[in-house]
């Protein structure tokens, strides 16, 4: 997940998403959402930088920021990644001060490789950082590793992001921060960001569907199901498809009757989304990325019989 400034994580469209571990071709094995963080031990402090390496780390961070050539950037990148999580605080501090977009992207690329599920509690304080770039990155990064202990912090960040956009709807980076906060809050088990994810599912599922689906695993319950069913009831094709995408990740058995009705749709996008919703609700299975029309018709028939 890579959110920076006003840009959210750029992912391939779902039609070509079979290479992503969350989306698969028929018959491919794939882990269930949340398994990757199931038994994670959350760190309570960052690894210390040895005294004899402090100057080198500081220099490498500056080289990464100021890189005048691709080679310099690659060398700094490799050195920092090799150093591991101990460089994260320094990189985050540098991100907060950096005004060059390319430099921030380089910093973020390293941070994404030296932080992981074990660092969510250490990243949570950055939800309230004075830098919007830092807040947005930290929220998006933690959303990738669901941690229910982060719910309050993510909800607070979501509320502040909403308030900021209410004052200035054209606020630079405001929408990206709102989305990142909604994503993180949802992954942590909160329902407060469902409206944001619902809107995003309608307009940007091709780019953000993977991360939205993963976050929805944190709220598979009655409240989320009702939210998605209300969307499904609307007489709008895009709303219906988005609602079915959401139900695949958050729907309960209570949604089956409504989803089954959509299996009869003559719109193949709706039919495929309904098939994948059934897969998610009934078996907890991940979506099938590519499904020809005739095969979709046959699968729809099978799900009508089974669901």
């Amino acid at each position: 997940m890579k959110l920076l400034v006003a840009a959210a994580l750029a992912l391939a469209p779902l039609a070509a998403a079979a290479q992503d571990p969350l989306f698969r071709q028929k018959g491919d094995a794939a882990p269930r959402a949340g398994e990757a963080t199931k038994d994670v031990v959350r760190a309570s402090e960052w690894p210390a930088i040895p005294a004899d390496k402090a100057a080198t780390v500081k220099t490498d961070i500056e080289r990464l920021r100021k890189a005048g050539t691709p080679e310099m950037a690659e060398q700094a990148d490799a050195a920092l990644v090799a150093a591991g999580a101990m460089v994260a605080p320094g990189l985050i501090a540098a991100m907060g001060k950096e005004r060059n977009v390319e430099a921030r992207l380089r910093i973020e690329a390293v941070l994404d490789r030296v932080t992981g599920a074990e660092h969510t509690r250490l990243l949570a304080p950055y939800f309230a950082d004075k830098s919007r770039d830092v807040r947005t990155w930290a929220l998006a990064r933690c959303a990738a590793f669901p941690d229910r202990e982060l719910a309050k912090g993510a909800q607070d960040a979501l509320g502040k992001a909403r308030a900021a956009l209410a004052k200035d709807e054209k606020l630079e980076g405001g929408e990206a921060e709102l989305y990142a906060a909604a994503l993180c809050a949802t992954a942590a088990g909160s329902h407060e960001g469902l409206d944001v994810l619902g809107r995003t599912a309608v307009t940007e599922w091709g780019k953000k569907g993977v991360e939205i689906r993963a976050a929805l695993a944190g709220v598979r319950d009655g409240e989320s199901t009702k939210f998605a069913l209300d969307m499904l009831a609307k007489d709008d094709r895009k709303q219906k498809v988005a609602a079915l995408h959401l139900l695949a990740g958050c729907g309960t058995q209570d949604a089956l009757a409504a989803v089954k009705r959509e299996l009869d749709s003559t719109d193949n996008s709706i039919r495929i989304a309904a098939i994948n919703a059934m897969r998610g609700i009934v078996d907890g299975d991940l979506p099938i990325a590519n499904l020809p029309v005739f095969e979709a018709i046959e699968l729809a028939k099978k799900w009508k019989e089974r669901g």
Side-chain angles (χ1 to χ4, degrees):
M1 131 204 82
K2 307 226 184 328
L3 280 162
L4 182 68
V5 197
L9 179 64
L11 295 169
L14 297 189
Q19 293 181 357
D20 191 285
L22 187 57
F23 291 80
R24 54 175 170 161
Q25 298 291 344
K26 302 176 297 301
D28 288 350
R32 300 288 178 88
E35 282 186 349
T37 59
K38 185 178 178 182
D39 300 315
V40 171
V41 176
R42 312 284 179 172
S44 59
E45 59 183 358
W46 294 106
I49 300 177
D52 62 344
K53 293 184 182 297
T56 300
V57 168
K58 184 177 180 180
T59 298
D60 285 334
I61 291 174
E62 286 305 301
R63 289 171 64 211
L64 186 71
R65 291 180 63 191
K66 308 296 184 183
T69 65
E71 291 75 19
M72 183 183 295
E74 290 170 6
Q75 291 170 3
D77 179 293
L80 290 165
V81 170
M86 68 180 181
V87 305
L91 284 168
I92 295 171
M95 179 191 288
K97 296 182 290 185
E98 187 56 64
R99 294 294 171 262
N100 181 278
V101 174
E102 291 184 359
R104 286 203 299 272
L105 286 169
R106 290 195 295 269
I107 292 170
E108 183 182 328
V110 175
L111 278 168
D112 284 345
R113 282 177 287 163
V114 299
T115 60
E118 66 270 33
H119 303 117
T120 54
R121 311 283 168 84
L122 304 178
L123 293 175
Y126 292 106
F127 295 175
D129 194 86
K130 64 180 181 179
S131 165
R132 177 167 288 108
D133 297 321
V134 169
R135 295 195 302 268
T136 301
W137 174 80
L139 286 160
R141 189 64 180 148
C142 287
F145 308 106
D147 182 350
R148 290 189 175 270
E149 291 296 319
L150 306 188
K152 185 180 185 306
Q155 288 174 170
D156 289 346
L158 179 63
K160 291 176 182 177
R162 286 191 197 277
L165 278 171
K167 290 182 180 179
D168 180 4
E169 62 182 20
K170 296 182 179 180
L171 180 66
E172 183 178 358
E175 288 290 346
E177 182 180 14
L178 179 68
Y179 170 70
L183 200 69
C184 189
T186 303
S190 169
H191 299 90
E192 292 187 14
L194 282 176
D195 61 319
V196 178
L197 298 193
R199 291 196 303 271
T200 307
V202 173
T203 60
E204 297 185 78
W205 185 260
K207 288 183 178 180
K208 299 175 180 176
V210 171
E211 59 201 25
I212 292 174
R213 170 66 191 268
L216 288 170
V219 290
R220 190 183 287 278
D221 56 30
E223 184 173 343
S224 300
T225 298
K226 182 182 182 305
F227 173 84
L229 285 175
D230 287 344
M231 284 181 63
L232 186 63
K234 295 179 180 178
D235 187 19
D236 180 273
R237 175 181 176 277
K238 290 183 178 180
Q239 291 276 338
K240 285 184 178 295
V241 171
L244 290 165
H245 288 325
L246 295 181
L247 286 167
C250 71
T252 65
Q253 299 282 320
D254 292 339
L256 289 179
V259 174
K260 284 180 72 173
R261 287 194 291 271
E262 302 301 335
L263 292 169
D264 288 324
S265 176
T266 57
D267 184 316
N268 202 48
S269 294
I270 293 177
R271 181 164 47 220
I272 291 174
I275 290 168
N276 282 327
M278 295 295 289
R279 287 168 57 84
I281 294 168
V282 176
D283 294 331
D285 279 348
L286 302 167
I288 298 173
N290 300 313
L291 196 58
V293 175
F294 294 116
E295 191 167 349
I297 292 172
E298 290 304 311
L299 271 178
K301 290 179 181 178
K302 292 179 180 178
W303 273 111
K304 285 174 64 178
E305 295 170 359
R306 179 186 169 192

